[in-house]
Amino acid sequence: TDLTSGDIRPVVEEAINALRPLADAKEQRIQRHLPDHPVLVAHDPAALERAIQNLVANAVKFTPPGCLIQVSLVAHNQDASIHVQDDGPGIPAAEQPFILGRFYRGRTHSGGGSGLGLAITREIALIHGGEITFTSTEGDGSHFVLRLPLADE
């Protein structure tokens, strides 16, 4: 994969904009928090946008109508972190070890989806030298973090 060093703020923006209509249809609010300065990461824009879209799409899909989804980009030390946080139902503790695996669909899963979104997102993170982590409390939402190394200035 060819990675080009560049500002990832537009990629985050595009991913959010692509999912705004779905969120609007569910009367959800997507709040974005992007820094004023460029966040330089060696990346494949299309792949990275897909990874972010997967996270935001899951938040939209699993969060009840009227809820808030927050997408933040934070540059800290050597990393850029993209946070996707929702105030939805959370992920049952018993399912958490499996949700980044291929084809995994939780017991509470209903509707479409192949169970590949998070696995693909994890692969994209790895290609970029990064990782995906999450915390989730049943009844109190989920917080996914896509962490990528900053490009050398």
Side-chain angles (χ1 to χ4, degrees), residues 21-149:
L22 281 176
D24 289 348
K26 284 185 76 177
E27 296 177 0
Q28 296 165 333
R29 291 193 341 273
I30 299 180
Q31 255 181 16
R32 60 179 188 75
H33 309 276
L34 303 179
D36 296 331
H37 53 83
V39 177
L40 302 178
V41 170
H43 68 288
D44 170 338
L48 186 56
E49 183 178 335
R50 180 171 185 192
I52 298 163
Q53 277 188 11
N54 285 343
L55 295 177
V56 176
N58 276 352
V60 169
K61 185 192 314 187
F62 294 110
T63 302
C67 286
L68 174 66
I69 296 162
Q70 297 190 65
V71 182
S72 314
L73 172 60
V74 180
H76 183 69
N77 294 339
Q78 306 304 309
D79 291 324
S81 300
I82 298 152
H83 298 259
V84 178
Q85 198 160 3
D86 65 59
D87 53 4
I91 301 160
E95 296 182 13
Q96 291 186 19
F98 307 106
I99 69 162
L100 296 177
R102 295 171 79 77
F103 304 114
Y104 183 77
R105 295 165 65 172
R107 288 189 322 276
T108 54
H109 180 89
S110 60
S114 59
L116 283 174
L118 289 175
I120 290 167
T121 299
R122 190 187 68 211
E123 291 299 312
I124 292 169
L126 292 173
I127 289 166
H128 286 81
E131 63 174 356
I132 180 162
T133 58
F134 69 93
T135 53
S136 184
T137 307
E138 230 175 319
D140 199 27
S142 300
H143 181 181
F144 283 81
V145 181
L146 177 58
R147 201 170 278 108
L148 306 168

